[in-house]
Amino acid sequence: MGRVQMSTEEKTGRRARDRKKKNWREESFETTKSHSRPAVSRMSASILLLAGLLFMMTGCSPAVPPGSVGRQDPEVKIRVVCSSGDIRWKSGMENAAEAFMKSNQDIKVELYFMPEAENQTYARQLEVLAAQGEFNDIVELRETDSLVQAGLLAPMPEEVYSLVENPGTCGGICYGVPLYTTTLGMIYNAEIFERLGLCVPRTYEEFLRVCATLKASGYDAVALGAAGDRHMKYWGNYLFCNYIAAGDGQACWTKKKAAEMLGDFRDLASRGYINSRYRAVTDRETARAISTRQAVMVYAGPQMLQQIENLNPQIRLGFFFLPGKNGTVYAMDDRSVQWGISSLTAGDGKKMDACVRFLQFCYSEGVYEIILEIMNGNPVTVRRVNMPDTPDRKIMEAAYEGNPVHTEFLLKDAQPPDGFIECYDRMLVETLWGGTSISSLADNMLERWEEP
């Protein structure tokens, strides 16, 4: 892509804006430090960044919850449906929506945060929302293809999908644009590792020995939030990539492979490395288990680093990619969190225009960077994004120094039958702590996979 030559006046103006943005960032972080409330200091920094953005853009006071600011009746109202599992994400979206409305007085944005539900995937929750006639207008997506097949999504306008690299298509049409890309790995308490003389495992057998040492020392080796679906999806993708996915980008389900996969996973529970108490534990409670040093490791995405650090700012964390039993170490590049637009919205030109403007705003300079920082995500935009050199970024850079094998082939990309992923999550919980035999579970899994 060619560069646009700027005039001297444009360059001067841009430098002034950059200085203003730099000062705003420094002041935001300085404000966070001065309040000396360690339990929320890291979270406050990210939230204050977005609040500062609102101040910088509008010259008004910091953001307040959307909809509470007095305004003339806007020309159009849109609703944005978001996940609710991460308090930083919720706060960030609230501030971003308010900042957008301040600079787009003709549009009102109403946020709807999907309540967490046990034993129900986020995609299934979206389908329930659609059945209730509430699937509109901009929706944070998972498993986009299944929602396309259900006729719930409108084609994404080019003004939006042209902003991101490799937006992805279904039947040659783009329906969802990724928010960011992330990965999965093991977050661990680096101080406990060092005190016990443990090193980051380079093989699966070394990982098992680390777990044994931690258990013998009185710790929960691995925390797991099995009460929701998020952590089961994390482990589900790890198991799929290391046991089922073939090198040619195909899924190879056999009774032997499924039984080996489930047997090795059950072994983590039967040895006591994943305590049975975690069957009733939520995602948020796993962060607390790590922060209080009850547990030492948790398999999750890097967004959980800040969740744990917010609870215990003194904790020192590390991150490593969990080796597979066959010796391969995968770094899963996950772009499954996406924005979509409801098919119901497509018939309203004003709403579609408002949706486009809001999504363009989310990817704009100074807004998108803060969203990435809040979620510890990597950019997917065509434009180059310069990310701040934060401690969590350094943790992730250290993990990548081991040169893991990158893969984008996750379970969702293997075109599983409708309902398989939800069933797979439940079977993994049963694998850990249930009484069903591994042979029966493997048979059931294959039967579900082969359903038309």
Side-chain angles (χ1 to χ4, degrees):
M1 182 178 295
R3 297 181 178 273
V4 178
Q5 187 68 33
M6 291 189 295
S7 67
T8 302
E9 183 178 358
E10 289 172 326
K11 290 179 180 178
T12 302
R14 182 167 184 172
R15 284 195 294 268
R17 289 193 299 272
D18 289 344
R19 285 195 299 271
K20 187 175 183 180
K21 192 178 299 181
K22 179 177 183 295
N23 292 337
W24 157 62
R25 285 181 179 270
E26 292 173 349
E27 290 168 4
S28 297
F29 279 110
E30 200 58 40
T31 302
T32 304
K33 293 176 183 177
S34 67
H35 280 72
S36 64
R37 295 176 63 180
V40 296
S41 60
R42 294 180 189 243
M43 179 176 69
S44 298
S46 296
I47 294 173
L48 281 172
L49 284 174
L50 269 175
L53 173 64
L54 174 60
F55 181 86
M56 183 180 68
M57 292 178 61
T58 65
C60 300
S61 58
V64 294
S68 63
V69 177
R71 62 177 77 242
Q72 298 297 319
D73 288 340
E75 184 178 351
V76 62
K77 298 179 183 180
I78 59 172
R79 189 170 79 151
V80 180
V81 177
C82 306
S83 60
S84 62
D86 191 311
I87 189 171
R88 294 172 301 110
W89 173 240
K90 292 175 66 175
S91 297
M93 284 305 300
E94 287 169 352
N95 281 287
E98 188 66 18
F100 173 79
M101 289 189 290
K102 287 287 186 179
S103 57
N104 294 269
Q105 293 286 328
D106 59 325
I107 300 172
K108 179 173 181 177
V109 177
E110 296 178 344
L111 296 177
Y112 174 79
F113 292 103
M114 185 77 72
E116 292 186 270
E118 292 187 11
N119 302 316
Q120 191 176 58
T121 65
Y122 180 77
R124 191 65 66 188
Q125 286 182 271
L126 291 180
E127 292 176 2
V128 171
L129 200 67
Q132 297 170 340
E134 297 293 331
F135 190 92
N136 58 297
D137 296 291
I138 298 173
V139 184
E140 181 185 335
L141 307 175
R142 310 286 192 279
E143 301 173 35
T144 303
D145 287 1
S146 65
L147 298 172
V148 172
Q149 293 166 9
L152 297 177
L153 297 177
M156 184 62 64
E158 184 177 2
E159 300 98 307
V160 178
Y161 74 70
S162 62
L163 300 175
V164 304
E165 292 183 327
N166 304 316
T169 62
C170 182
I173 300 173
C174 176
Y175 289 92
V177 288
L179 278 72
Y180 47 78
T181 183
T182 187
T183 190
L184 295 172
M186 198 67 77
I187 297 172
Y188 68 98
N189 186 314
E191 293 171 326
I192 293 176
F193 263 52
E194 290 177 6
R195 181 161 52 80
L196 297 178
L198 299 174
C199 297
V200 169
R202 294 167 297 177
T203 67
Y204 190 75
E205 285 302 317
E206 287 184 6
F207 167 68
L208 294 179
R209 288 197 288 272
V210 166
C211 289
T213 300
L214 293 172
K215 181 176 181 292
S217 301
Y219 297 104
D220 291 341
V222 181
L224 175 63
D229 73 304
R230 185 176 303 183
H231 280 237
M232 302 318 300
K233 288 191 183 307
Y234 296 159
W235 276 102
N237 275 313
Y238 167 81
L239 296 170
F240 174 79
C241 287
N242 284 280
Y243 290 87
I244 306 300
D248 59 356
Q250 299 294 320
C252 183
W253 290 89
T254 66
K255 172 70 176 290
K256 181 179 179 180
K257 287 186 174 184
E260 181 185 12
M261 175 184 78
L262 298 175
D264 288 344
F265 194 44
R266 174 169 283 182
D267 194 45
L268 295 177
S270 61
R271 294 191 189 195
Y273 301 156
I274 303 179
N275 195 290
S276 59
R277 75 169 66 92
Y278 289 103
R279 185 166 193 167
V281 164
T282 65
D283 175 49
R284 291 178 185 175
E285 291 171 317
T286 59
R288 186 168 298 280
I290 301 295
S291 71
T292 59
R293 299 180 175 86
Q294 174 185 340
V296 180
M297 298 184 289
V298 60
Y299 191 74
Q303 74 277 1
M304 185 170 272
L305 288 167
Q306 282 196 11
Q307 292 181 36
I308 298 167
E309 291 160 348
N310 291 336
L311 294 169
N312 181 358
Q314 284 74 46
I315 199 168
R316 186 157 56 86
L317 299 175
F319 186 99
F320 65 85
F321 294 105
L322 181 60
K325 191 177 180 181
N326 67 354
T328 304
V329 181
Y330 284 114
M332 287 169 252
D333 298 323
D334 185 6
R335 294 158 55 97
S336 62
V337 180
Q338 301 188 347
W339 287 125
I341 298 177
S342 167
S343 56
L344 296 176
T345 305
D348 188 321
K350 289 184 178 179
K351 281 199 171 191
M352 281 296 291
D353 176 68
C355 289
V356 166
R357 286 161 60 184
F358 180 77
L359 292 176
Q360 288 175 328
F361 177 83
C362 288
Y363 289 109
S364 65
E365 184 178 359
V367 177
Y368 186 55
E369 286 81 352
I370 298 172
I371 290 175
L372 292 177
E373 186 172 347
I374 288 173
M375 300 308 295
N376 270 328
N378 294 315
V380 295
T381 49
V382 172
R383 73 174 178 86
R384 182 176 178 179
V385 175
N386 294 316
M387 295 302 299
D389 190 19
T390 64
D392 288 344
R393 289 271 161 189
K394 292 179 180 178
I395 289 173
M396 295 307 299
E397 288 171 3
Y400 280 108
E401 288 175 1
N403 296 317
V405 177
H406 288 264
T407 180
E408 294 182 359
F409 186 54
L410 307 183
L411 179 57
K412 64 179 176 59
D413 303 306
Q415 298 181 334
D418 185 44
F420 177 84
I421 293 179
E422 190 172 5
C423 178
Y424 180 60
D425 295 342
R426 291 197 302 268
M427 284 189 184
L428 292 182
V429 175
E430 176 67 17
T431 297
L432 287 175
W433 302 295
T436 308
S437 70
I438 293 298
S439 179
S440 295
L441 285 168
D443 284 335
N444 291 340
M445 195 166 285
L446 263 66
E447 288 175 8
R448 290 302 304 267
W449 181 261
E450 293 169 357
E451 287 181 357

